[in-house]
Amino acid sequence: MTDAENTGFSADWLRQREPFDLAARSPSLTLGFRDALRPPAPAALRIIDLASGSGANFRALAPLLENDQEWRLVDHDPLLLAAQRSEITRWASGRGWHCHDHEGGLAIHAGPARWLVRGQQLDLARDLEDIDLASCDGLVTTAFLDLVSAVWLDRLSALLARTPRPLLASLTVDGRRAWFPARPADQLIADAFLSHQGSDKGFGPSLGARATPYLAAKLAVAGYQVSTQASDWHIGQKHSDMLLKMAQEAAAVAAETDPSCKPAVSSWLADRSTDIHRGLLSLDIGHLDLLAVPHFHVFR
Ligand SMILES: C[S@@+](CC[C@H](N)C(=O)[O-])C[C@H]1O[C@@H](n2cnc3c(N)ncnc32)[C@H](O)[C@@H]1O
């Protein structure tokens, strides 16, 4: 199951992609987000993560935000919400941090900082407007916006216009995919993949690679200062499991999009599998991070 194919995401898949996401994130936009957050001192920073999955965004950002923090991790998938506790506990234990249940959430004692994480089940396609932005200092989302439609991004922009808050939207695919070394059939696979990204993932026709520029333009009109930066995945030759997964996913999507290409797709996958087993293949997948800060916010 993959990002491009449908709206089901397993905790195993999110765990597999997490190190690639972590390596790809734009450090400067993350720091810009941190500097734009203005908690009512000395209170904890309050962050909402949209489509949080098993909590990778929390794990990436909490150590960089340098405060006591309260996180609300919003997703519609009960299995992923249930996985948050074990994934966060395993991650925290690996760093020598203590976790315990607290006020309906999970408290993590990370050195001098204390972070409280609560999950919330919500269908963001239907109930986005239930998100209470006034109850948070900043909004984040990762690997999500390429699933949504223009109409949904209009709704998100309207929410952020009514209640201005810094937004960090990381790791939205931007359509670039480059296999090294290149093969002639890569273009066939890439075209099928791109056209498949426009399918409906529950939010109306997905914007896919066009999501970040679309949201950037909307938020600029709504009075935000918007910056974007590349946050590309670089999947090196030694990551054979991830490369095989990417090649199989690309082939499956291409064959589904245009069944007449099946023979060419099978032959491409056989060649790519051989490249992977020989340790010859690597892959770059383009993503964009977006930071939007309301104009009244002054960087510290
Ligand atoms: C590619 S995963 C990213 C998860 C997480 N942000 C991460 O980086 O690991 C996309 C997420 O969107 C969530 N999602 C998809 N449709 C949703 C909906 N209608 N409401 C809420 N969450 C949704 C999925 O359950 C999944 O957790």
Side-chain angles (χ1 to χ4, degrees):
M1 214 157 346
T2 66
D3 297 24
E5 283 178 285
N6 53 48
T7 54
F9 298 88
S10 72
D12 284 348
W13 162 237
L14 297 185
R15 198 179 306 122
Q16 188 174 2
R17 63 172 291 158
E18 189 166 345
F20 296 95
D21 284 343
L22 205 54
R25 285 166 177 268
S26 157
S28 62
L29 293 193
T30 302
L31 292 182
F33 178 69
R34 181 197 68 187
D35 292 347
L37 294 169
R38 301 169 65 80
L45 278 175
R46 299 159 306 165
I47 310 287
I48 295 178
D49 183 16
L50 300 182
S52 57
S54 56
N57 214 5
F58 162 74
R59 290 187 287 279
L61 295 177
L64 304 173
L65 298 184
E66 293 176 352
N67 262 71
D68 285 353
Q69 297 162 34
E70 288 182 14
W71 282 72
R72 185 164 295 280
L73 304 190
V74 181
D75 207 281
H76 70 153
D77 184 331
L79 295 176
L80 291 177
L81 287 164
Q84 288 173 358
R85 194 177 197 294
S86 56
E87 294 290 322
I88 291 171
T89 304
R90 193 169 53 86
W91 167 80
S93 309
R95 284 154 183 75
W97 298 333
H98 172 66
C99 301
H100 64 92
D101 291 325
H102 183 73
E103 294 179 358
L106 184 66
I108 299 112
H109 294 266
R114 203 191 73 147
W115 306 327
L116 183 63
V117 179
R118 293 192 183 91
Q120 179 183 357
Q121 186 170 13
L122 194 71
D123 177 354
L124 288 166
R126 194 187 57 201
D127 299 325
L128 173 66
E129 286 72 14
D130 286 359
I131 296 289
D132 179 14
L133 284 186
S135 71
C136 76
D137 303 302
L139 186 66
V140 295
T141 188
T142 290
F144 176 57
L145 294 187
D146 39 82
L147 304 180
V148 307
S149 61
V151 170
W152 193 87
L153 287 179
D154 292 347
R155 289 166 61 195
L156 179 64
S157 305
L159 215 56
L160 284 161
R162 273 199 299 281
T163 311
R165 289 291 180 276
L167 166 73
L168 182 65
S170 319
L171 292 147
T172 308
V173 295
D174 71 359
R176 289 174 298 126
R177 258 177 190 239
W179 304 87
F180 305 102
R183 283 187 182 272
D186 291 349
Q187 196 55 48
L188 169 82
I189 304 287
D191 291 347
F193 205 83
L194 273 182
S195 89
H196 196 277
Q197 271 182 344
S199 62
D200 187 340
K201 317 288 191 313
F203 296 83
S206 309
L207 278 177
R210 290 177 290 132
T212 299
Y214 186 88
L215 181 61
K218 284 277 161 186
L219 290 179
V221 170
Y224 281 73
Q225 184 179 328
V226 184
S227 322
T228 60
Q229 271 191 9
S231 52
D232 298 350
W233 277 6
H234 303 292
I235 311 177
Q237 295 161 341
K238 66 180 178 188
H239 299 290
S240 53
D241 287 354
M242 190 66 166
L243 288 167
L244 203 54
K245 187 171 181 73
M246 291 293 111
Q248 287 167 344
E249 169 197 320
V253 168
E256 187 187 316
T257 307
D258 182 357
S260 71
C261 299
K262 273 186 183 166
V265 168
S266 298
S267 144
W268 178 87
L269 182 57
D271 289 343
R272 284 322 196 178
S273 302
T274 305
D275 292 343
I276 293 167
H277 289 125
R278 290 185 178 154
L280 295 176
L281 187 65
S282 63
L283 170 64
D284 286 355
I285 300 185
H287 295 91
L288 284 171
D289 285 3
L290 174 150
L291 171 66
V293 179
H295 276 308
F296 70 77
H297 267 71
V298 179
F299 283 93
R300 282 192 292 241

